[in-house]
Amino acid sequence: MGKLKTYQEQLQDIVEKGINAAEEQQKKLASKPFEYAEKLESEAREYSVKTLRTRYYGYSENLFEQLRSLNSRFSSFAADLVAKLEKEAAEGADAVADAADDVTSVAQSTKATAQAKKPAARKTTARKSTSTAKKTPATA
């Protein structure tokens, strides 16, 4: 029986060593996430929700300020463009009006010249000829 007791003790010792080695490995593996969590926690303390909110609002305000500035510049550009187009349209309308006046004056001058050179036309009168048709009385 002494040998069996020795085998039993050796077996228990081997199992105990295996358990201890597994426990040590499990603690090493389990410590990694906790180390990362502790590191993250310490870094997160540097960025509290309040500071994150302040930064976010600062970035948002800056973004919308830039968009408003861009809109203002675009508005100014569009106003300049519209002013130029209106000026060109007015100049074009003036040019068309001047051309119409020139055409009208040339047309009137040509008409006056044509009428001055035209010989007096004779009036001819057409005579109407009327024929009288005899009516026959209807007999019944």
Side-chain angles (χ1 to χ4, degrees):
M1 287 268 212
K3 266 189 167 183
L4 285 175
K5 186 77 170 164
T6 307
Y7 289 140
Q8 176 193 358
E9 288 173 357
Q10 286 178 352
L11 187 60
Q12 281 182 324
D13 200 31
I14 290 172
V15 170
E16 183 69 29
K17 285 180 183 178
I19 291 171
N20 289 339
E23 181 182 24
E24 188 177 322
Q25 286 300 321
Q26 190 273 337
K27 285 181 180 179
K28 282 182 181 178
L29 289 174
S31 69
K32 291 295 182 187
F34 290 111
E35 288 173 6
Y36 291 130
E38 287 171 350
K39 185 178 180 182
L40 183 63
E41 181 183 39
S42 67
E43 289 178 4
R45 286 184 184 153
E46 294 176 22
Y47 300 106
S48 70
V49 173
K50 197 176 220 176
T51 55
L52 288 175
R53 180 180 296 185
T54 303
R55 284 185 178 186
Y56 171 78
Y57 287 145
Y59 294 142
S60 293
E61 287 174 9
N62 188 17
L63 171 69
F64 290 113
E65 201 173 294
Q66 288 177 357
L67 288 172
R68 285 185 184 95
S69 173
L70 179 66
N71 185 37
S72 175
R73 289 191 301 183
F74 179 74
S75 175
S76 177
F77 171 75
D80 289 346
L81 185 63
V82 167
K84 285 179 183 177
L85 290 173
E86 286 177 344
K87 181 180 176 185
E88 287 179 14
E91 289 172 354
D94 289 344
V96 168
D98 290 344
D101 289 343
D102 290 346
V103 167
T104 302
S105 96
V106 167
Q108 288 174 350
S109 169
T110 304
K111 182 180 177 184
T113 305
Q115 284 178 350
K117 289 182 180 180
K118 196 179 202 183
R122 290 188 297 173
K123 284 190 175 181
T124 58
T125 56
R127 293 186 185 174
K128 289 185 180 179
S129 63
T130 57
S131 62
T132 56
K134 293 185 179 178
K135 291 186 183 179
T136 59
T139 57

